[in-house]
Amino acid sequence: MQTPFRAATCMSNQPGKQPKDMTMTDDDMSEERGARKHLLYVADPMCSWCYGFAPVIAAIADHFGDRLPVELMMGGLRAGNTKPFTAEDKRTIGGHWRKVESATGQPFDFARMEAREGWVYDTEPACRAVVTMRLLNPGMALAYKARVQHAFYAEGRDTAADAVLADIAAEMGVEREMFFAELVSPEARRETQRDFLAAQKAGIRGFPALLAGDGAGRYILVSNGYRPLDGLPEALEKWLDAAPPAN
């Protein structure tokens, strides 16, 4: 069953409001993630602050490797939206993008965004594409998400279109027709909705969100929104050393 459209929040970190010792025990957050310590990254490929966070999460994944693997969960920023892009939307979103560009240095193609007419900002297909890559090749999912983000924000490509998302997978060496078939399959749609529901049930309303899981279903919130890399690996190293082993 598809969840109704809801607009979540794409945001930068707000240290004063972040519950640093937050713990989650929801079964949906840990199901099938294995009895091992890991990071749970809740994001949307068409969330601008998630795009800004892409180099940060890539650096964290490279730093920890298998010691603290990154597991992806799609949050669904504007999943199921049916409202066409308006001039006001362009002004509002353009302002958000400029803030992300200034804070992170990530490139944006403003001209193509402003030239869109009648386009529907539905993030479900892009989320489903990342879930599809996770199903087919989990080790490529994070890199694929980053490639989709760059295609949307820096190249102005329509990542709300299944065909474009399959093209991007092919550019990364994945057989296009196989990817497309999985992308439009009932399994991919179910898994994507499952991600959305798990994120909602856990109370995650803003992206990007990064949590550290102890492998026993308990999570602490590492970052609620975008934050730079500075200090993150060191803080996670301390948590990794101090966290009790999973039962």
Side-chain angles (χ1 to χ4, degrees):
M1 182 180 69
Q2 184 162 330
T3 56
F5 167 65
R6 67 180 185 100
T9 305
C10 183
M11 62 189 187
S12 59
N13 196 27
Q14 301 177 7
K17 298 181 180 180
Q18 178 170 316
K20 297 180 181 179
D21 59 349
M22 180 177 176
T23 301
M24 296 183 180
T25 57
D26 192 282
D27 290 341
D28 290 332
M29 297 289 286
S30 58
E31 187 175 354
E32 297 182 0
R33 300 195 181 274
R36 59 176 181 174
K37 297 172 186 174
H38 60 276
L39 295 173
L40 182 62
Y41 180 40
V42 188
D44 188 300
M46 295 170 71
C47 154
S48 56
W49 282 111
C50 296
Y51 173 51
F53 196 64
V56 177
I57 194 65
I60 290 172
D62 288 344
H63 177 87
F64 287 99
D66 290 338
R67 291 191 299 133
L68 194 61
V70 176
E71 305 283 352
L72 276 171
M73 176 182 285
M74 296 295 95
L77 177 66
R78 291 173 176 267
N81 180 37
T82 58
K83 177 187 173 185
F85 227 28
T86 66
E88 180 61 29
D89 291 332
K90 293 177 185 180
R91 285 191 292 271
T92 300
I93 291 171
H96 292 325
W97 288 13
R98 285 180 172 83
K99 289 179 182 179
V100 177
E101 180 186 51
S102 176
T104 70
Q106 289 282 72
F108 287 82
D109 186 335
F110 293 98
R112 291 196 185 185
M113 183 270 289
E114 291 165 359
R116 294 186 187 276
E117 297 294 340
W119 181 68
V120 176
Y121 198 161
D122 178 10
T123 68
E124 189 275 341
C127 289
R128 178 163 35 87
V130 175
V131 170
T132 297
M133 186 63 80
R134 193 177 73 198
L135 291 169
L136 294 174
N137 190 332
M140 290 181 65
L142 187 62
Y144 177 73
K145 182 184 69 64
R147 182 68 189 91
V148 170
Q149 290 173 310
H150 191 272
F152 177 56
Y153 289 106
E155 300 171 10
R157 296 167 72 179
D158 184 3
T159 53
D162 289 343
V164 173
L165 294 162
D167 289 343
I168 295 169
E171 292 161 12
M172 296 182 67
V174 178
E175 205 281 315
R176 187 188 185 284
E177 296 310 313
M178 176 189 69
F179 185 89
F180 186 85
E182 184 66 26
L183 176 63
V184 300
S185 71
E187 180 186 15
R189 296 183 190 278
R190 282 194 301 269
E191 285 299 307
T192 304
Q193 294 301 317
R194 187 180 180 190
D195 272 24
F196 296 164
L197 290 169
Q200 290 180 43
K201 190 174 180 181
I204 296 171
R205 296 292 182 265
F207 314 121
L210 184 64
L211 303 96
D214 66 359
R218 294 180 295 270
Y219 289 84
I220 61 167
L221 186 62
V222 177
S223 183
N224 184 29
Y226 169 83
R227 61 170 291 178
L229 181 65
D230 295 349
L232 261 180
E234 294 80 4
L236 287 169
E237 287 282 8
K238 290 181 180 179
W239 174 83
L240 191 59
D241 290 341
N247 295 327

